[in-house]
Amino acid sequence: MSVRISAMSVLPPVRRDRIIAQLPQYFRKEAALHTKEDFNNKVKTACQEQRTGTVGRFKISKVIVVGDLAVGKTCLINRFCKDAFDKNYKATIGVDFEMERFEVLGVPFSLQLWDTAGQERFKCIASTYYRGAQVVIIVFDVNDVASLGHTRQWLEDALKENDPTAVQLFLVGTKKDLSSPAQYAQIEQDALKIAKEISAEYWAVSSLTGENVREFFFRVASLAFETNVLAELEKSGTRQIGDVVRINSNSSNVHTTSKKKQPNCCQ
Amino acid sequence: MALQGPEELGEQVEEPEELEDASSISPAEEITLPAGPGGDEEPPEEEALLLPWDRFSAWLHCICVVGFDLELGQAVEVIYPHHSKLSEKEKTSICYLSFPDSNSGCLGDTQFCFRFRQGSNRKSSLGCFLETTDRDAPPCLKREQGHYYGYVYFRQVRDKSLKRGYFQKSLVLISKLPYVTFFHSLLKIMAPEYFEKQEPCLEAACNDIDRWPTPHPGRILTLPIMGVVIKVRIPTCYDKPGTSQLVQSAQSDSLVSIVLPTIHEVDLFRCFYPVFFHIQMLWELVLLGEALVVMAPSPAESSDTVLALVSCISPLRYSSDFRPYFTIHDSEFKEYTTRTQAPPSVILGVTNPFFAKTLQHWPHIIRIGDMKQAGEMAKQMKVKKLKNLKTLDSKPGVYTAYKPYLNKDEEIIKQLQKGVQQKRPSAAQNAIIRRYFLELTQSFIIPLERYVASLMPLQKSISPWKNPPQLRPFIQQDFMKTLEKAGPQLTSRLKGDWIGLYRNFLKSPNFDGWFRNRRREMTQKLEALHLEALCEEDLQQRIQQHTEVESVDLVLKLKDKLTQAEKEQLPVRPGTLAKLKSHIEAVILALPDDLQGILHKPSTP
């Protein structure tokens, strides 16, 4: 009466437009997490070799999206996850959540996107939601210098709950469509400076037009995936990765006696 | 396969032969079931129609915070969401049931659950929708009809800044769903945060829950809550009993993702440990719906034990009332403790020593001590089966004059004892007990299933132009006769008075509940077969031979059938209903214009 794994199937294939075969490139060279042209070789080899199901290990990363009220955190996520843009503002209560599935180098990989509320009222609970984040996306409005200024505070709050050395940071300017090239150029200088200081990768996007949104999330997924695989490879020096450990209290070995006849299943 | 040793069970490593198609395996995060009843991955259309708070309501009725007010005593401080309705009586019940009895101490954090009668009959607009999601659930996991569960996280810590000297508060989830393990896990995440951060935390958590998919059996559900994702799968009635489909991955990061292998199963071994010599007798007592009381030192132990008792006859549903934690303030206190009638068919879990006196006359009493010291108790238990010794400081044990119908299964006791000696992990012991109960219950129920199946009329007796045939009645004698050849001896080596056990069972509420359910299913099946037969008929030809009045009558009857089939979700072959609709349409079109107009109007409800 054991659970036959083979009776289960993996989820339907990842959406075609969520397949990443090559490392998406950074937005600005001066503020990038790294500037290599392709995935780390070790990672590529691991993904190629691990055709036998041992890969699923590094399959999930928690991403939190923080930033001032109304800078467009929810819009950014909705543009990517639902390809939708709602002009009406609706404050997020507590947090919103999306799960986005990718396939990176042939390996399934998911991002848990936690879209936190910018409202002061929810600051006290934010730390609960920050815990365990591997990627922090700090969002500001490129038309609102103050929101850029506040990003340091957001970062500090987010890192309180996490190991700062283990977190990948992204600084994202939104509403690019609303700013003139000159205005934008100016704030970009400041943003790049902050990004470099806090070791974040900088991006500027428009959720209205969709400019750079997809590129940005692909980059996030790829870098998070790469980091996960590398960390896993390092850890698994001695241990065989990929053993599925099952905590299943009712499996086949649990017979009361050896000779007892199995009743037919009556239900 | 015989049990080999402890290391194989607790955290079981997948066996190699099961990994034959390993390429398609990844841990639970990615595993789903093949499409089937409720197995599809995409959220169903009907969920798109849900309004704000509908999703929340599919899981919970409300969340209550119960605190202690120096003047008022226990009081419901907060109900969330604020629009939730609870009658005064229900609030009173929740107040008393959410705190341990004062004698039980319980310093620190305690979790337990209770169950109480729904006061007023409130109809939810969601009712119909929830019924359909409930259809695929196993009987013992269906939504409660007249009761609520309360899942409690109680915190009591010293706090000199408070007048009472203690901080005492409970966060309580009120729900009709019997998912005890799941809700306890949920509370473990929510409650500590709430006690620290107060109401915004509840608001955010409720908002999280209101974004959850509805609790649909068979789907892998991803439930984000307070920064963590809980993965669960609600079993279906089509699952093979005793299996679990969710696999826990080795390194799931509990900060990010929690996979719950079960939503409702309690640790039977831990619960029954103090009385494990008697588990088979307890199984009989529960099966027969005997009045049982569990006296425990704290609500955590009483509620776990009561739930363990109720679940030991799974997949049979325990049909009588049960109260994992029952207090003297309970509105049913008088009803259940009266001496003027025989004790009712209920299972009560109590902690107040007062009950030792009040329930003295009860036929079966289980006393359990503090489970933490359980290691010591196992030995004394062997000789302990006392009668009429019901003082306050009685030792743990089962107090009853009941004589089991079946001979004792020494094997299972030996096996469990050996496990204790070898320090076999509790999870493994639990699995042994669970399987033992499952096999016992199945051996018991299979002859009944077989007999009841024989009550179904023959297919050929179904005529489209007559009412569906009736089920033949259940005749006890006939059933008993079948036991000679096809009794439980086919699947169980246990000897004893099976006949006596059946005879008594047939009088019990559990039989009644089970048979009612079966009868409904079979009647629906007959209706469905009848409908299918009707759809195969050539209606055009038939109406040509009949008068207009008869045709109109036919249309009305068919429309009724259709409504019934849709409402009751009759188990018809796919396409049947569409066929029926086109039949109705065709008959209408063959009628004169004025009649067509009338018949095409949607029927008024």
Side-chain angles (χ1 to χ4, degrees):
Chain A
M1 269 212 196
S2 76
V3 182
R4 291 289 302 166
I5 281 278
S6 52
M8 299 179 223
S9 57
V10 290
L11 290 172
V14 171
R15 276 169 55 181
R16 269 205 201 152
D17 58 353
R18 293 287 183 262
I19 292 177
I20 302 174
Q22 265 167 357
L23 182 68
Q25 291 301 296
Y26 46 81
F27 179 68
R28 286 283 182 268
K29 191 166 189 171
E30 53 268 57
L33 286 180
H34 72 63
T35 54
K36 296 184 191 83
E37 272 178 23
D38 203 355
F39 282 107
N40 182 302
N41 271 332
K42 273 191 232 160
V43 173
K44 281 203 284 188
T45 324
C47 292
Q48 272 163 16
E49 285 173 358
Q50 288 164 340
R51 272 177 226 102
T52 50
T54 51
V55 182
R57 191 73 40 232
F58 2 81
K59 62 216 165 327
I60 196 159
S61 273
K62 176 169 173 174
V63 180
I64 54 170
V65 184
V66 299
D68 274 6
L69 193 68
V71 292
K73 299 179 288 297
T74 307
C75 283
L76 176 64
I77 289 173
N78 282 350
R79 166 57 75 196
F80 180 66
C81 296
K82 301 175 182 158
D83 199 21
F85 186 83
D86 186 351
K87 285 202 169 96
N88 301 315
Y89 175 66
K90 194 173 143 267
T92 303
I93 300 172
V95 267
D96 280 348
F97 173 82
E98 291 290 341
M99 186 83 131
E100 199 58 41
R101 296 169 57 228
F102 296 86
E103 191 184 295
V104 189
L105 296 174
V107 178
F109 180 68
S110 298
L111 290 185
Q112 268 185 14
L113 297 165
W114 294 87
D115 171 18
T116 63
Q119 285 176 340
E120 194 61 36
R121 193 158 65 97
F122 291 109
K123 275 251 169 93
C124 66
I125 58 152
S127 60
T128 312
Y129 286 89
Y130 293 167
R131 236 169 264 159
Q134 212 183 313
V135 176
V136 177
I137 299 176
I138 312 169
V139 182
F140 71 99
D141 177 350
V142 296
N143 310 289
D144 177 1
V145 188
S147 72
L148 177 61
H150 296 149
T151 53
R152 286 174 205 271
Q153 188 55 50
W154 283 109
L155 174 66
E156 198 181 301
D157 291 346
L159 290 187
K160 258 185 230 157
E161 296 296 326
N162 290 295
D163 172 8
T165 58
V167 168
Q168 290 177 310
L169 287 180
F170 291 85
L171 180 66
V172 181
T174 53
K175 310 189 190 178
K176 191 157 175 272
D177 54 284
L178 293 180
S179 91
S180 69
Q183 278 172 325
Y184 174 73
Q186 203 174 355
I187 199 159
E188 194 187 66
Q189 289 312 306
D190 298 342
L192 283 171
K193 202 171 141 230
I194 292 180
K196 272 187 271 183
E197 279 172 31
I198 63 176
S199 310
E201 176 158 317
Y202 173 71
W203 282 75
V205 302
S206 162
S207 305
L208 177 72
T209 66
E211 182 187 353
N212 288 338
V213 171
R214 191 182 126 96
E215 291 78 357
F216 166 65
F217 279 104
F218 271 44
R219 177 82 174 161
V220 172
S222 304
L223 293 184
F225 175 81
E226 190 177 43
T227 310
N228 275 9
V229 178
L230 283 174
E232 199 59 35
L233 288 175
E234 208 165 287
K235 259 198 281 178
S236 64
T238 51
R239 183 182 37 123
Q240 162 89 40
I241 47 172
D243 290 339
V244 176
V245 172
R246 204 167 55 171
I247 310 210
N248 174 1
S249 49
N250 299 305
S251 28
S252 57
N253 315 38
V254 196
H255 267 265
T256 46
T257 52
S258 46
K259 283 178 201 153
K260 193 156 167 187
K261 194 178 168 190
Q262 281 279 309
N264 292 324
C265 168
C266 65
Q267 287 298 302
Chain B
M1 198 188 297
L3 187 82
Q4 311 247 307
E7 61 287 341
E8 294 198 26
L9 289 150
E11 291 203 340
Q12 196 172 31
V13 176
E14 203 72 274
E15 283 170 63
E17 68 263 28
E18 295 212 358
L19 276 167
E20 57 206 2
D21 49 355
S23 56
S24 66
I25 300 174
S26 49
E29 314 281 356
E30 298 293 339
I31 287 179
T32 185
L33 290 170
D40 34 358
E41 202 238 342
E42 286 301 308
E45 291 163 44
E46 69 263 29
E47 291 205 12
L49 302 171
L50 295 178
L51 300 171
W53 293 114
D54 277 356
R55 290 163 187 274
F56 178 90
S57 306
W59 288 91
L60 293 174
H61 178 66
C62 64
I63 301 180
C64 296
V65 177
V66 179
F68 195 92
D69 183 294
L70 272 184
E71 318 228 307
L72 300 170
Q74 279 139 255
V76 176
E77 294 174 353
V78 182
I79 299 180
Y80 210 92
H82 298 307
H83 64 259
S84 326
K85 290 201 171 49
L86 284 177
S87 68
E88 283 310 313
K89 200 172 160 196
E90 286 168 337
K91 274 191 218 165
T92 312
S93 295
I94 293 171
C95 276
Y96 286 117
L97 292 167
S98 296
F99 269 41
D101 272 320
S102 47
N103 62 302
S104 38
C106 297
L107 259 188
D109 290 0
T110 312
Q111 286 190 264
F112 59 93
C113 87
F114 59 83
R115 191 168 171 270
F116 64 103
R117 248 181 227 172
Q118 180 175 344
S120 50
N121 195 16
R122 56 179 71 88
K123 269 270 175 230
S124 152
S125 58
L126 265 184
C128 208
F129 169 72
L130 295 179
E131 252 165 54
T132 59
T133 63
D134 227 23
R135 201 183 35 148
D136 297 328
C140 52
L141 283 181
K142 286 194 196 294
R143 209 167 270 279
E144 287 279 346
Q145 294 303 325
H147 290 84
Y148 284 113
Y149 278 93
Y151 299 99
V152 184
Y153 192 104
F154 171 72
R155 175 169 284 183
Q156 173 162 266
V157 282
R158 244 176 225 291
D159 184 343
K160 288 204 181 105
S161 68
L162 297 173
K163 234 182 181 174
R164 201 171 150 85
Y166 282 99
F167 171 92
Q168 292 170 308
K169 210 166 262 207
S170 282
L171 187 69
V172 190
L173 308 178
I174 306 292
S175 173
K176 296 212 149 189
L177 297 171
Y179 306 162
V180 56
T181 318
F182 168 73
F183 285 118
H184 279 328
S185 309
L186 182 61
L187 275 172
K188 250 188 212 117
I189 299 170
M190 280 174 65
E193 294 292 331
Y194 167 74
F195 291 131
E196 247 173 65
K197 292 159 189 168
Q198 311 299 320
E199 198 154 341
C201 176
L202 273 192
E203 197 181 345
C206 290
N207 185 64
D208 284 344
I209 295 169
D210 197 37
R211 297 167 48 83
W212 287 1
T214 51
H216 206 114
R219 296 197 182 113
I220 307 265
L221 305 173
T222 300
L223 313 172
I225 180 83
M226 317 214 78
V228 182
V229 172
I230 308 179
K231 292 235 168 168
V232 293
R233 178 183 176 278
I234 296 159
T236 71
C237 50
Y238 318 108
D239 292 356
K240 218 168 174 181
T243 59
S244 155
Q245 249 103 2
L246 253 196
V247 179
Q248 191 152 15
S249 61
Q251 302 170 325
S252 77
D253 180 352
S254 65
L255 282 176
V256 175
S257 184
I258 297 170
V259 180
L260 289 184
T262 172
I263 57 161
H264 65 289
E265 288 174 356
V266 288
D267 185 342
L268 293 181
F269 180 67
R270 193 175 51 82
C271 297
F272 287 135
Y273 190 62
V275 290
F276 83 70
F277 283 92
H278 309 300
I279 51 172
Q280 191 181 328
M281 177 171 71
L282 294 177
W283 174 83
E284 282 190 19
L285 291 175
V286 176
L287 182 75
L288 299 178
E290 288 281 328
L292 256 173
V293 59
V294 176
M295 299 188 179
S298 81
E301 278 131 2
S302 81
S303 61
D304 276 357
T305 308
V306 170
L307 291 175
L309 285 168
V310 166
S311 71
C312 79
I313 57 165
S314 158
L316 265 183
R317 183 191 172 101
Y318 181 78
S319 303
S320 301
D321 193 6
F322 58 97
R323 304 299 176 93
Y325 175 50
F326 189 75
T327 75
I328 52 173
H329 304 287
D330 221 286
S331 46
E332 276 76 57
F333 177 74
K334 277 218 178 88
E335 182 186 332
Y336 284 169
T337 57
T338 173
R339 278 169 173 274
T340 55
Q341 290 167 2
S345 167
V346 293
I347 302 181
L348 302 182
V350 301
T351 62
N352 194 323
F354 181 68
F355 280 106
K357 250 190 126 177
T358 324
L359 299 180
Q360 245 179 45
H361 62 295
W362 272 41
H364 321 290
I365 297 174
I366 302 173
R367 264 186 175 282
I368 51 173
D370 193 346
M371 283 185 193
K372 282 166 217 144
Q373 309 154 4
E376 299 300 306
M377 269 172 240
K379 281 176 220 131
Q380 334 167 350
M381 292 309 304
K382 207 167 197 168
V383 284
K384 277 207 57 74
K385 195 172 127 192
L386 299 174
K387 204 177 136 188
N388 299 330
L389 202 147
K390 291 158 189 165
T391 58
L392 268 183
D393 42 73
S394 302
K395 285 190 175 147
V398 179
Y399 296 82
T400 178
Y402 179 81
K403 204 172 159 299
Y405 287 95
L406 302 183
N407 300 347
K408 197 164 183 173
D409 187 342
E410 300 289 348
E411 288 270 343
I412 179 75
I413 304 298
K414 271 189 216 144
Q415 203 181 355
L416 290 171
Q417 270 178 311
K418 199 172 153 204
V420 174
Q421 284 158 10
Q422 294 175 341
K423 300 212 162 53
R424 190 185 289 149
S426 175
Q429 296 277 67
N430 175 40
I432 293 170
I433 298 194
R434 195 167 289 282
R435 175 156 303 265
Y436 166 75
F437 280 138
L438 180 66
E439 289 180 355
L440 197 54
T441 308
Q442 285 186 331
S443 293
F444 182 79
I445 206 76
I446 287 170
L448 275 161
E449 295 277 4
R450 200 177 285 136
Y451 173 71
V452 166
S454 76
L455 301 179
M456 190 83 167
L458 295 176
Q459 173 95 37
K460 66 179 181 208
S461 67
I462 297 172
S463 155
W465 305 111
K466 286 187 202 141
N467 281 333
Q470 298 278 307
L471 280 185
R472 289 191 286 120
F474 189 107
I475 297 166
Q476 188 172 337
Q477 271 176 326
D478 291 357
F479 166 66
M480 291 298 185
K481 257 183 238 154
T482 67
L483 293 176
E484 286 162 29
K485 281 198 180 130
Q489 69 275 13
L490 294 184
T491 48
S492 174
R493 64 196 147 64
L494 273 189
K495 298 271 184 282
D497 183 11
W498 284 94
I499 304 283
L501 188 62
Y502 279 111
R503 196 161 283 141
N504 231 319
F505 175 73
L506 296 183
K507 287 184 257 170
S508 77
N510 288 333
F511 169 73
D512 197 53
W514 172 82
F515 183 60
R516 230 181 260 236
N517 188 38
R518 268 291 168 278
R519 197 170 46 196
R520 198 185 55 239
E521 282 172 8
M522 288 163 70
T523 311
Q524 287 187 342
K525 184 70 196 164
L526 277 173
E527 290 280 352
L529 289 173
H530 181 248
L531 205 61
E532 283 166 13
L534 202 56
C535 286
E536 294 306 319
E537 285 295 295
D538 187 346
L539 296 188
Q540 297 289 5
Q541 199 204 336
R542 188 174 170 90
I543 53 172
Q544 276 163 19
Q545 302 159 357
H546 287 81
T547 63
E548 197 178 285
V549 182
E550 283 169 313
S551 296
V552 172
D553 187 52
L554 178 64
V555 169
L556 296 177
K557 279 202 176 123
L558 290 178
K559 277 189 165 182
D560 273 355
K561 278 259 171 205
L562 185 66
T563 325
Q564 184 204 3
E566 280 170 344
K567 209 175 99 199
E568 292 179 21
Q569 302 234 328
L570 292 185
V572 286
R573 274 200 304 265
T576 305
L577 295 188
K579 221 169 173 181
L580 184 63
K581 273 179 203 159
S582 69
H583 274 326
I584 295 176
E585 197 55 26
V587 177
I588 293 178
L589 286 177
L591 288 165
D593 284 352
D594 53 340
L595 274 176
Q596 282 190 26
I598 295 170
L599 290 172
H600 267 137
K601 264 190 218 154
S603 55
T604 43

